[in-house]
Amino acid sequence: MNAPQHRSHITTHVLDTGTGRPASGVKATLEAKTATGWQELGSGTTDGDGRIGGLGPTQVEPGHYRITFDTGAYFGTKGTETFFPEVVLGFSVADAAEHYHVPLLISPFAYSTYRGS
């Protein structure tokens, strides 16, 4: 996979806590909440290090955003049953000057997240 041409204002990193390794091949979609509903800003698939550096635009405005991760397909390729076929993380961007990193830690029956840097 080629490196992104730009670094997104919002990035993510997915780790598989069941294997203790980065989760490569997880599709993620970034959306912004608008007056008429959710608008897709970008999407990507995690690389060998579990990262998506070019998920969306290089700049976003303050507002509400969400990233949807296709965890069902990821675990399906491993032949592993999962309780969560997708994980949707909603969050707020308060400062347009800051970078927002939204990591996801997954296992077949649990997930967690935090605001990274």
Side-chain angles (χ1 to χ4, degrees):
M1 175 179 272
N2 294 334
Q5 298 298 316
H6 68 279
R7 182 175 183 210
S8 176
H9 194 177
I10 299 169
T11 56
T12 191
H13 187 193
V14 183
L15 299 171
D16 184 333
T17 59
T19 63
R21 298 189 177 277
S24 64
V26 178
K27 183 177 182 200
T29 303
L30 173 66
E31 297 172 289
K33 189 170 189 178
T34 69
T36 59
W38 291 98
Q39 175 186 2
E40 183 175 326
L41 299 179
S43 65
T45 303
T46 56
D47 62 17
D49 194 33
R51 297 179 185 275
I52 304 174
L55 183 58
T58 57
Q59 188 66 37
V60 298
E61 296 300 317
H64 298 290
Y65 296 85
R66 70 182 179 191
I67 302 174
T68 302
F69 298 88
D70 189 354
T71 52
Y74 168 77
F75 285 114
T77 63
K78 300 185 172 318
T80 302
E81 179 185 353
T82 182
F83 185 69
F84 300 103
E86 68 178 15
V87 173
V88 180
L89 302 179
F91 57 97
S92 296
V93 169
D95 185 347
E98 290 187 29
H99 172 256
Y100 288 80
H101 186 62
V102 186
L104 176 65
L105 289 78
I106 58 173
S107 71
F109 297 99
Y111 67 88
S112 65
T113 189
Y114 58 94
R115 167 131 190 235
S117 56

